[in-house]
Amino acid sequence: MHAPSPGGSLLDQIVPSSLPLTDRAAETWIDSLIQSVSAEPDRAKLAAALGLDAARRLLAGIASGSPYLKGKMERDAARLERVLLSDPERHIEALIVELRSAMATVADFAEAMALVRRFKAEVALLTALADLGGVWPIMTVTGALTRTADVALELGVAFLFRQAVARGDWLASDADVAAGTSGYIVLAMGKHGAGELNYSSDIDLIIFYDLDRARLKEGLEPQPFFVRLTRDLVRFMDERTRDGYVFRTDLRLRPDAGATQVAMSTDAALIYYESFGQNWERAALIKARPVAGDLEAGQLLLDDLQPFIWRRYLDFAAISDIHAMKRQIHAFRGLGGIGVAGHNVKLGRGGIREIEFFAQTQQLIAGGRQKDLRVRRTLDALAGLAERGWIKPGVRDRLSDAYKYLRRIEHRVQMVADEQTHELPEQPDALERFSRFAGYETAEAFSAAYRKVLETVERHYAELFEATPELTAAGSNMVFAGEADDPGTVAALTALGFSQPSEVLAAVRGWHHGRYPAVRTPRARERLTEVQPLLISALAETASPDQAFAAFDRFLSELPSGVQVFSLLRANPNLMRLVADIMGTAPRLARVLSRRQRLLDAVLDPRTFAPLPAAAEIDRVIAADLTGATDMQDVLDRARLIGNEQSFLIGVKILSGTINANQAGEAYAILAERLIMALHDAVTADMERQHGKVPGGEAVVVAMGKLGGREMTAASDLDLMVIYDFDQDALQSDGERPLAPSQYFARLTQRLITALTAQTAEGPLYEVDLRLRPSGQKGPLATQIASFVSYQATEAWTWEHMALTRARVVSGPDRLSKRVDAAIHETLVRVRDRRKIAADVKDMRGRIATEKGTDNIWDLKQVRGGLVDIEFIAQYLQLVAANGAPSVLDTNTIAALHKLAEAGVLPLADAEALIGTARTINDLGQITRLCQEGPFNPDKAPKGLKDLAARAGAAPSFEALEAGLKDALAASAARFESLIA
């Protein structure tokens, strides 16, 4: 690269104690890093630099907290020296000048990619050190990262146009300026457009081209040319090579992403936005900025779009859309505390998105008349809103400070492993390490500070939205009495967002006439009258008021009594908002509520929105409830009460955004495990009362499938297997009604299945599937361990060993549990014929495709590239690699993919893509299985559910979600074919 700048070095500007002191191992690592520099003068310089206490503390803290940055420094100690001894601002400018010079003459695509990747790598290290060392404030860091993306895109587009000129495809007298006058427009969106990129950010782009400016050779069609050029640009930016990548690139914000090409003409764009543009697209375009290609054409396009983005007046539908967008965040106000472990810094309650979202919606409301509010940066928007009197200066200051704090934490999260993630670690030891990396002495200190910021944001977010609409005020003045519809009430309901106000009026009149059992008594109708205005307003605030109202009407029709429910809602307005959201978003949960209204009491527990309970806490709940059971039937009823209540509360946490899919899968699995353990104990005790014990007899329950992988959803069944053992000379049990050992354990298994599946007065608990046991449906219900070991060694098919990668003991005595775990491990680490396993896997996938194949992308399991393909990849690679690398074994699919990548079995780029797709599928699976029964059909799903799915998939709209999902599934399907070979 170049020699260090003569200005004040980054080293001189490091803030002492920017990271807490760390362990001795990190100190030793610094010494070995110095020794890795081969040239004596350079080694001496680095040693002198790292002899300073502030520098050593900084690097030691980084080494302990970020494997990614540690590896970056190890790979190129000379680069580290350059960065430390240079003034950071001048260093970046020099790097840009150097890159421009090199890119001006490069002709080879691979060489151009390498130049930009090496440039990005040095900037990434510099910005990380300047950030972590307290040299730059957070918005300077985001500005530097944005500048990096801008330069890379600018030079990438210029390079591609020079190539087009060289091929003769593009007519230009001066190849060096071809891109700047080409009509090819690269718009940066989101944080990139606002100049606020985060450390491991994707860049969101929309690509347009102006046909009037195109200078293509005769006969060359514009659209194929610009689409191909765009695909090359994406490859130039985000393809992972040995030099890494520049920025992951996302084109899903383009108009109608599911149906359009990756580049669109400006004429088509203007027609789309004028005719079909949606309010979320208006909000997104606030941050749009031309960054590469023809900047003049880009600005002209944005000028043409101003009337679409900024409207002088907002109609009620637009305001309703804004409120629906706000509801997607699902920050349920005042319902419990905020968790830290696993919290999503961006999308979680009190997170970055809430600050950004408020600023954008207020800009949309006011920016039509007040042009000074048409700014891209979030902090500028907050400042402008305060200056214009939309918010108070104190609110601006607190939200601005919170925004900068959360962005800093977001960077720490992403610096750990250079992943586009926003979630804090879940495990206590990982959270402790991260807290130190974030500059705190302990996780407790970090959690207190972090929670305080989230609570501040959440409080202001709620207050700011409550201050905006006159909409809810209409609820208290509505008239539902009389035969004819009151015109004022019809108008008020329409303003609130109901498209069929007469049907709402008719239904409410029916309530007051005692149509349903819940409203037959005068007292119930009196309570209904008191709660009605808030209820109507709460239902109106959902994404789909009509569907939410219809669901609440069904809910009311199924209630045996209404007094208690209406009183509960009257005393807890926040609960009413939650109920309204369930009605508008989750028909399945609404039906559960109507059958089990006591679940509303459970939601009022302050712990509902606290962090998920640990297994020990679930055990205490189960023990407390089952201890007083009078007989086995009572045990089953009480187990169902616990299971239904706890499952519902997990669902509410998912719906509210308090937990993510991974946390939900584990929570459902922990609940199922603890209930299995309790019922296993109860059934065993009941067997021993009737039939005694088998000498030396023990039985364990092995979880497979979703339960084994801790990936359960609200509707998952339990894949189980029971394995037992007993003394060799035991002939029968020792009770009054003795049984032979095999008969004894078969009966115990049958009773356990009944305990889990029987429909009682309190409803069902789980469906159970035993088909994964040895010999499947033809085999005995329970298997002796010797038979299990023999079967796995001599008879089991490849698919059975694949299923075994997700097997783990969840209930039973320790001695036998360890033997079974060891037998499973032994089976999985055997030497295997890779070709045979690959052939078996492909054959099995083909059979499944023949029997259950589908093109429906919402059949997330069976569609090609879906869950089956990803699970098969993970299971296949574990089977063929475990003999040499047993560390790759993990029952959880995403964890297994991580381990396979760490062991070098799965290429990192493939692992990242598969993990990203698996997470999206899990997120969507949790939402769809929670919110409705049966297959997900977008054409029939409530708008609220589709909005929630888009939020879960981190997409700006449902249409963008579908487009992104299609692309991800196609990529996974291709990886299945290439990896299983």
Side-chain angles (χ1 to χ4, degrees):
M1 287 281 178
H2 66 281
S5 308
S9 72
L10 187 151
L11 187 65
D12 296 333
Q13 301 175 53
I14 292 172
V15 176
S17 305
S18 52
L19 289 178
L21 281 171
T22 187
D23 54 39
R24 188 174 299 277
E27 293 276 339
T28 305
W29 171 80
I30 292 176
D31 295 330
S32 66
L33 180 67
I34 294 169
Q35 294 307 313
S36 70
V37 179
S38 56
E40 176 58 39
D42 292 336
R43 189 187 317 138
K45 277 192 212 170
L46 187 59
L50 297 184
L52 299 175
D53 182 59
R56 288 188 77 84
R57 287 171 67 102
L58 175 63
L59 261 64
I62 292 173
S64 297
S66 171
Y68 165 70
L69 290 173
K70 181 183 178 186
K72 227 169 179 44
M73 292 186 285
E74 286 173 340
R75 279 191 293 277
D76 194 341
R79 177 172 60 197
L80 172 63
E81 178 206 327
R82 282 196 305 272
V83 168
L84 286 172
L85 298 179
S86 302
D87 173 78
E89 286 87 353
R90 293 184 185 180
H91 192 60
I92 284 188
E93 292 305 320
L95 288 172
I96 290 172
V97 169
E98 200 169 309
L99 179 65
R100 286 190 191 283
S101 174
M103 286 290 290
T105 57
V106 71
D108 180 68
F109 192 90
E111 188 181 345
M113 288 172 66
L115 286 170
V116 180
R117 278 153 180 75
R118 289 196 287 270
F119 161 73
K120 165 65 187 307
E122 188 142 343
V123 173
L125 180 61
L126 185 152
T127 52
L129 292 173
D131 188 351
L132 292 164
V135 178
W136 281 351
I138 188 63
M139 300 318 293
T140 302
V141 176
T142 61
L145 292 167
T146 302
R147 180 95 190 279
T148 303
D150 289 354
V151 169
L153 284 166
E154 172 205 336
L155 296 178
V157 172
F159 170 77
L160 292 172
F161 269 95
R162 283 201 308 276
Q163 284 198 319
V165 172
R167 290 194 306 268
D169 291 344
W170 191 264
L171 307 178
S173 56
D174 186 349
D176 289 335
V177 298
T181 57
S182 62
Y184 184 73
I185 300 164
V186 180
L187 285 187
M189 308 293 287
K191 285 188 170 65
H192 185 191
E196 300 168 337
L197 275 182
N198 53 51
Y199 191 75
S200 294
S201 186
D202 291 357
I203 53 173
D204 293 297
L205 305 176
I206 307 182
I207 310 294
F208 298 108
Y209 54 90
D210 184 342
L211 288 170
D212 292 337
R213 296 187 175 216
R215 296 194 297 281
L216 291 163
K217 75 175 182 182
E218 190 174 349
L220 194 60
E221 288 295 317
Q223 187 184 59
F225 171 84
F226 287 114
V227 167
R228 185 170 62 251
L229 189 141
T230 300
R231 295 196 189 283
D232 286 342
L233 179 62
V234 170
R235 181 182 160 213
F236 180 84
M237 294 296 291
D238 76 3
E239 183 174 288
R240 191 177 286 275
T241 72
R242 67 178 183 179
D243 296 302
Y245 66 101
V246 191
F247 286 93
R248 288 173 289 258
T249 306
D250 193 333
L251 302 178
R252 289 180 297 168
L253 290 181
R254 68 185 185 273
D256 197 7
T260 58
Q261 293 281 9
V262 291
M264 174 185 278
S265 75
T266 52
D267 291 340
L270 290 170
I271 292 170
Y272 169 84
Y273 286 121
E274 288 168 4
S275 306
F276 309 107
Q278 300 176 50
N279 284 303
W280 72 261
E281 290 173 298
R282 294 176 53 218
L285 283 167
I286 289 175
K287 295 179 183 286
R289 178 172 62 93
V291 293
D294 193 330
L295 300 183
E296 181 186 44
Q299 191 54 55
L300 289 172
L301 175 63
L302 286 182
D303 291 344
D304 288 341
L305 288 173
Q306 293 301 294
F308 165 68
I309 304 170
W310 307 108
R311 298 178 186 171
R312 182 172 289 274
Y313 303 106
L314 285 184
D315 56 25
F316 282 118
I319 293 175
S320 177
D321 270 3
I322 290 169
H323 279 272
M325 288 160 65
K326 172 249 181 180
R327 295 300 291 170
Q328 285 186 48
I329 303 299
H330 280 263
F332 286 108
R333 307 186 286 269
L335 279 166
I338 296 173
V340 175
H343 186 267
N344 190 305
V345 183
K346 179 181 177 181
L347 300 176
R349 298 171 66 204
I352 294 166
R353 178 59 61 83
E354 291 188 358
I355 303 172
E356 293 175 335
F357 192 80
F358 165 72
Q360 285 177 287
T361 51
Q362 296 301 298
Q363 284 177 282
L364 283 181
I365 290 169
R369 286 180 175 273
Q370 298 168 357
K371 293 186 178 181
D372 52 335
L373 292 177
R374 301 178 185 182
V375 292
R376 297 185 180 102
R377 295 176 74 243
T378 302
L379 295 179
D380 291 345
L382 290 171
L385 290 167
E387 195 169 324
R388 281 285 187 169
W390 286 88
I391 59 175
K392 294 177 181 177
V395 174
R396 171 203 59 206
D397 295 342
R398 285 187 288 275
L399 287 180
S400 296
D401 289 345
Y403 182 75
K404 287 182 278 192
Y405 176 86
L406 292 171
R407 291 301 308 274
R408 190 168 67 83
I409 297 302
E410 176 187 47
H411 279 205
R412 301 297 184 275
V413 170
Q414 296 180 344
M415 285 175 186
V416 171
D418 189 32
E419 292 179 338
Q420 172 62 345
T421 181
H422 301 86
E423 292 175 359
L424 296 176
E426 292 181 42
Q427 300 305 319
D429 57 340
L431 184 61
E432 188 74 37
R433 283 195 305 275
F434 176 80
S435 300
R436 296 177 70 80
F437 186 53
Y440 293 86
E441 294 289 347
T442 64
E444 186 178 353
F446 166 66
S447 297
Y450 182 70
R451 190 179 284 109
K452 184 177 180 181
V453 172
L454 298 183
E455 289 168 351
T456 297
V457 172
E458 187 184 32
R459 182 176 70 254
H460 286 304
Y461 180 78
E463 289 169 356
L464 291 167
F465 271 102
E466 286 166 357
T468 54
E470 311 155 19
L471 301 176
T472 56
S476 57
N477 298 317
M478 294 183 188
V479 178
F480 292 92
E483 299 264 334
D485 292 351
D486 170 60
T489 303
V490 170
L493 288 169
T494 303
L496 281 167
F498 292 98
S499 64
Q500 297 172 311
S502 292
E503 292 190 13
V504 174
L505 279 161
V508 176
R509 276 199 295 268
W511 298 349
H512 287 285
H513 291 156
R515 177 189 298 168
Y516 303 137
V519 286
R520 294 253 164 94
T521 67
R523 189 171 171 222
R525 291 195 293 275
E526 182 182 323
R527 291 284 181 271
L528 170 63
T529 302
E530 291 171 345
V531 83
Q532 188 173 287
L534 278 176
L535 175 63
I536 296 294
S537 294
L539 293 169
E541 283 187 0
T542 64
S544 181
D546 294 297
Q547 288 174 316
F549 182 86
F552 186 82
D553 185 57
R554 284 194 300 274
F555 166 71
L556 203 58
S557 73
E558 295 174 358
L559 286 179
S561 169
V563 173
Q564 184 182 3
V565 171
F566 296 142
S567 300
L568 200 59
L569 295 176
R570 180 174 177 272
N572 299 276
N574 292 313
L575 180 61
M576 188 151 15
R577 294 189 184 99
L578 172 59
V579 169
D581 267 326
I582 289 173
M583 298 301 154
T585 306
R588 179 181 174 276
L589 277 187
R591 281 190 286 274
V592 170
L593 258 188
S594 64
R595 293 193 295 266
R596 306 254 181 292
Q597 56 179 291
R598 76 181 82 184
L599 292 172
L600 288 176
D601 295 326
V603 174
L604 292 177
D605 188 320
R607 295 170 300 177
T608 296
F609 291 91
L612 284 164
E617 190 174 339
I618 296 289
D619 285 342
R620 284 194 292 272
V621 171
I622 293 172
D625 278 21
L626 295 190
T627 299
T630 55
D631 56 22
M632 197 61 194
Q633 184 59 51
D634 195 17
V635 167
L636 300 190
D637 284 337
R638 292 183 183 215
R640 277 146 184 75
L641 283 171
I642 298 164
N644 291 331
E645 180 177 296
Q646 293 298 320
S647 181
F648 181 81
L649 292 179
I650 295 168
V652 169
K653 281 180 164 71
I654 297 170
L655 203 60
S656 68
T658 306
I659 61 175
N660 58 33
N662 183 50
Q663 292 170 304
E666 187 161 358
Y668 283 126
I670 288 173
L671 175 61
E673 288 170 25
R674 309 330 274 189
L675 286 168
I676 289 169
M677 288 173 64
L679 292 173
H680 185 194
D681 289 345
V683 166
T684 300
D686 199 44
M687 281 289 293
E688 289 174 357
R689 277 193 299 272
Q690 296 180 36
H691 303 286
K693 297 180 180 181
V694 174
E698 295 179 328
V700 298
V701 181
V702 179
M704 316 274 280
K706 294 290 186 192
L707 174 57
R710 296 185 178 90
E711 300 163 349
M712 288 182 66
T713 68
S716 292
D717 58 9
L718 306 181
D719 291 297
L720 302 178
M721 179 164 50
V722 175
I723 298 177
Y724 66 90
D725 202 14
F726 56 91
D727 289 347
Q728 283 189 339
D729 54 356
L731 299 178
Q732 61 183 23
S733 60
D734 58 12
E736 292 181 8
R737 296 158 57 192
L739 296 171
S742 60
Q743 188 181 6
Y744 183 97
F745 288 107
R747 190 168 297 183
L748 183 142
T749 302
Q750 186 59 64
R751 289 191 181 185
L752 177 60
I753 296 168
T754 301
L756 289 165
T757 61
Q759 176 95 15
T760 76
E762 296 300 333
L765 191 55
Y766 294 106
E767 293 295 321
V768 173
D769 191 338
L770 295 180
R771 287 176 296 177
L772 292 179
R773 68 187 188 271
S775 300
Q777 290 176 319
K778 297 176 183 177
L781 285 179
T783 306
Q784 190 174 2
I785 187 167
S787 300
F788 173 78
V789 170
S790 172
Y791 180 84
Q792 298 300 336
T794 60
E795 298 180 55
W797 294 67
T798 296
W799 70 263
E800 291 178 285
H801 285 171
M802 290 170 68
L804 215 56
T805 62
R806 309 182 77 185
R808 59 190 180 88
V809 177
V810 293
S811 178
D814 284 345
R815 186 177 60 175
L816 184 57
S817 296
K818 288 174 181 174
R819 290 175 63 197
V820 171
D821 279 334
I824 292 170
H825 183 80
E826 232 174 80
T827 301
L828 295 177
V829 298
R830 287 184 191 143
V831 177
R832 298 180 192 273
D833 181 340
R834 189 182 186 107
R835 289 190 179 187
K836 178 185 183 306
I837 302 298
D840 288 349
V841 172
K842 287 204 167 188
D843 177 66
M844 182 167 37
R845 188 62 184 102
R847 289 170 186 265
I848 292 173
T850 301
E851 185 182 340
K852 301 178 181 179
T854 177
D855 293 327
N856 177 13
I857 64 169
W858 289 105
D859 187 342
L860 297 167
K861 181 177 180 181
Q862 297 297 347
V863 68
R864 290 316 302 256
L867 206 53
V868 169
D869 279 351
I870 295 173
E871 289 175 349
F872 273 24
I873 290 170
Q875 291 163 10
Y876 160 74
L877 291 175
Q878 286 180 95
L879 284 185
V880 298
N883 177 258
S887 63
V888 302
L889 295 175
D890 200 293
T891 59
N892 180 275
T893 301
I894 288 177
L897 292 170
H898 272 297
K899 290 182 176 181
L900 287 161
E902 287 168 4
V905 175
L906 178 63
L908 186 58
D910 290 330
E912 285 183 347
L914 290 169
I915 288 167
T917 303
R919 280 184 174 146
T920 298
I921 288 173
N922 287 345
D923 287 336
L924 297 175
Q926 287 289 3
I927 293 297
T928 55
R929 300 302 293 274
L930 169 69
C931 292
Q932 64 172 43
E933 292 160 341
F936 176 72
N937 182 345
D939 297 332
K940 297 180 180 178
K943 182 179 184 297
L945 175 52
K946 292 202 282 189
D947 288 344
L948 184 59
R951 181 178 71 83
S957 70
F958 187 77
E959 293 72 23
L961 172 69
E962 286 199 304
L965 182 59
K966 264 184 202 169
D967 292 344
L969 292 172
S972 291
R975 283 186 168 87
F976 178 90
E977 296 302 327
S978 64
L979 291 169
I980 301 181

